[in-house]
Amino acid sequence: MSTTEVDASVQEMFEGIFGPGLGQQLSKRLHGEAPWFNEVVAKHIAPLVWQRSALDMRTKVLCAIAIFSALGKHEAGLFMRAALHHGVSQEEIHDLLFLVGLESGFPNASFGAKLLAEAVASHSADGAD
């Protein structure tokens, strides 16, 4: 992957997960640190997971929110924006964060609640759905 082009299949996958605006923005970030690594992950490993069909995208995104929230990672906010794009309600994410809190600790769930507020604001500012 050159530093000026984004592979069309990678961009399409990101847009399928995160929606057109955020998906395009994130696919372009692949050229930051370690592009040699990001290219392999985005073109070869991620599609093996994200393009499987047993779980729908909505479910996959909710799982990603739970995982990243339980780990206390900022990436949870990106997947919250993806969830909003896929029609997940704030109330559903609230319930998910209660489950994360119960099972992994409330500090991480509280961090997730903060990320949700940021994700909702960004989603609204983008004029999405």
Side-chain angles (χ1 to χ4, degrees):
M1 196 176 328
S2 77
T3 55
T4 57
E5 85 182 46
V6 174
D7 185 273
S9 64
V10 171
Q11 185 167 331
E12 183 179 334
M13 179 182 63
F14 274 57
E15 289 179 1
I17 298 167
F18 297 101
L22 183 57
Q24 185 176 37
Q25 178 186 6
L26 292 174
S27 66
K28 288 180 180 178
R29 281 192 200 172
L30 295 177
H31 306 298
E33 293 181 25
W36 57 271
F37 178 80
N38 289 333
E39 178 179 1
V40 171
V41 172
K43 287 174 104 173
H44 303 289
I45 299 171
L48 292 175
V49 175
W50 285 101
Q51 294 174 353
R52 294 181 58 86
S53 61
L55 296 174
D56 63 8
M57 189 60 69
R58 186 180 195 281
T59 302
K60 291 176 190 178
V61 168
L62 286 169
C63 289
I65 292 169
I67 292 164
F68 284 116
S69 293
L71 294 171
K73 300 290 186 181
H74 283 28
E75 289 85 348
L78 297 173
F79 285 99
M80 289 173 183
R81 290 180 64 187
L84 295 168
H85 169 73
H86 288 285
V88 175
S89 71
Q90 289 182 57
E91 183 177 16
E92 289 172 297
I93 299 172
H94 290 169
D95 282 0
L96 180 64
L97 291 174
F98 280 120
L99 182 59
V100 166
L102 179 65
E103 301 302 338
S104 75
F106 281 97
N108 287 343
S110 179
F111 178 68
K114 174 187 172 290
L115 293 175
L116 176 58
E118 293 171 3
V120 169
S122 293
H123 185 73
S124 297
D126 290 345
D129 315 317

